[in-house]
Amino acid sequence: MKRIAILNTGGTISMSEDQTTGKVSPSSTNPLSQEGNLFRSLADLTIIDFFHLPSPHVTPQHMLELKNWIEAHQADFDGVVITHGTDTLEETAYFLELTLDLDIPVIITGAMRSSNEMGSDGLANLRSAIVTAVADQSRGKGVMVVMNEEIHTATYVTKTHTTNVATFQTPTFGPNGIVSKNQVLYFQKLLHTEHYELQALTKQVALLKAYSGMTADLFDHIVDSGTYGGLVIEGLGAGNLPPAALPGLHKVLAAGLPVVMVSRAFNGITEDVYDYEGGGKQLRQAGVIFTQGLSGVKARIKLLVLLNSQTPVNIAQAFYLGAK
């Protein structure tokens, strides 16, 4: 029987609903710890309450602690399952994908409904995650998110709905597998993986969403605050900005901060197509790094890892699809 570590970090999957007020909040005891015996027939489980945090409270430092624990204990287990709140689940998943270089599967799951709500999905998702972690074909596939009987790569999965149990989707590419009863079926493979050595987080990255009428003031603050080592922009369309924002952008570039462009659109990739003031062609020529397939929050996590990594890396090349 395979040895699987379950690291509970909190979130809705570990919360309960007050039957009188309807409020959902952390309970004094983690329901998952109480129900863990339901899955003893699937694997030899070691259940650890690692954190007990709503996911908006999770920081990159918490992600680094998870990464360090998994690295230190990888020889003790055949797989790791992490339960996590859904609001920032995709960020933790991608952080671990970029910083872990393991053969054992690392699966992240959560829930959209608390443990005692009607139609609670937590235990079903946890079961699917364990089944995926145990499957031989899950080895070497990196960090994956398992929700609603679908398997998604950590690189491209995102939360698409505030409350629906089918919220986690992979726009543009779709899921790379499904869980059917006790069977795991893969029908896609992530062609490119990358990993970076990371020991500490000292540099921060800002994320700005472009909008009609955007001016330079937010860009100015990023430089003037002295807080940030890089910037990710969710640009308009395929990667464009309003003209009034350009003086601020050029100030950021002149300060030597890397600037990464993604699209604020839900689907598609960025392209430097338009050659007008604020158009993507001119932004790339000015030094903005265009990336393909990543959301704003994922690009921020990647730039954060790159800026703090001990691995020598060309940041611009690292953001191009297929770069090593």
Side-chain angles (χ1 to χ4, degrees), residues 253-270:
L253 291 169
L257 275 64
V259 178
V260 175
M261 177 69 71
V262 303
S263 176
R264 74 176 193 178
F266 185 73
N267 259 317
I269 60 175
T270 55

Side-chain angles (χ1 to χ4, degrees), residues 207-211 214 232-242 260-265 270 283:
L207 172 62
L208 293 181
K209 192 182 191 94
Y211 52 86
M214 188 180 201
V232 173
I233 303 171
E234 289 189 10
L236 306 174
N240 312 301
L241 285 176
V260 175
M261 177 69 71
V262 303
S263 176
R264 74 176 193 178
T270 55
L283 297 182

Side-chain angles (χ1 to χ4, degrees), residues 97 140-141 153 155-156 173 176 188-194 321-324:
E97 169 65 21
K141 286 188 168 58
T153 175
T155 303
Y156 297 117
F173 305 117
N176 60 334
Q188 281 195 113
K189 180 180 180 181
L190 187 63
L191 297 179
H192 170 66
T193 59
E194 53 194 323
L321 193 64
K324 289 293 184 182

Side-chain angles (χ1 to χ4, degrees), residues 8 62 145 274 277:
N8 295 327
H62 292 119
V145 172
Y274 292 104
E277 187 179 12

Side-chain angles (χ1 to χ4, degrees), residues 8-11 14-15 26-31 49-54 57:
N8 295 327
T9 70
S14 64
M15 296 183 186
S27 52
S28 56
T29 57
N30 190 330
D49 287 333
F50 203 85
F51 302 126
H52 200 34
L53 297 171
H57 296 190

Side-chain angles (χ1 to χ4, degrees), residues 8-166:
N8 295 327
T9 70
T12 300
I13 193 170
S14 64
M15 296 183 186
S16 301
E17 180 186 57
D18 187 295
Q19 298 300 307
T20 302
T21 66
K23 294 179 180 178
V24 176
S25 58
S27 52
S28 56
T29 57
N30 190 330
L32 291 180
S33 299
Q34 298 173 318
E35 301 292 347
N37 289 327
L38 290 174
F39 308 118
R40 295 292 180 183
S41 63
L42 299 175
D44 178 6
L45 301 179
T46 299
I47 302 174
I48 300 169
D49 287 333
F50 203 85
F51 302 126
H52 200 34
L53 297 171
S55 63
H57 296 190
V58 174
T59 68
Q61 186 60 44
H62 292 119
M63 301 174 194
L64 182 60
E65 291 178 39
L66 275 170
K67 171 257 185 189
N68 289 340
W69 190 95
I70 294 170
E71 279 186 336
H73 294 85
Q74 60 178 299
D76 301 328
F77 298 99
D78 300 299
V80 176
V81 171
I82 301 170
T83 65
H84 198 289
T86 59
D87 285 355
T88 60
L89 184 151
E90 65 197 84
E91 291 165 82
T92 296
Y94 190 44
F95 181 96
L96 295 176
E97 169 65 21
L98 291 172
T99 58
L100 289 173
D101 190 8
L102 311 175
D103 284 332
I104 66 170
V106 176
I107 313 298
I108 305 187
T109 192
M112 296 303 294
R113 297 172 183 165
S114 59
S115 61
N116 62 338
E117 284 186 71
M118 183 71 70
S120 174
D121 56 332
L123 289 178
N125 286 338
L126 179 57
R127 184 186 186 280
S128 293
I130 296 171
V131 168
T132 305
V134 167
D136 291 337
Q137 59 267 44
S138 295
R139 289 186 63 87
K141 286 188 168 58
V143 179
M144 294 176 287
V145 172
V146 174
M147 295 278 291
N148 202 38
E149 298 184 342
E150 291 186 341
I151 306 169
H152 296 264
T153 175
T155 303
Y156 297 117
V157 71
T158 190
K159 186 175 181 177
T160 65
H161 195 285
T162 56
T163 58
N164 197 302
V165 295

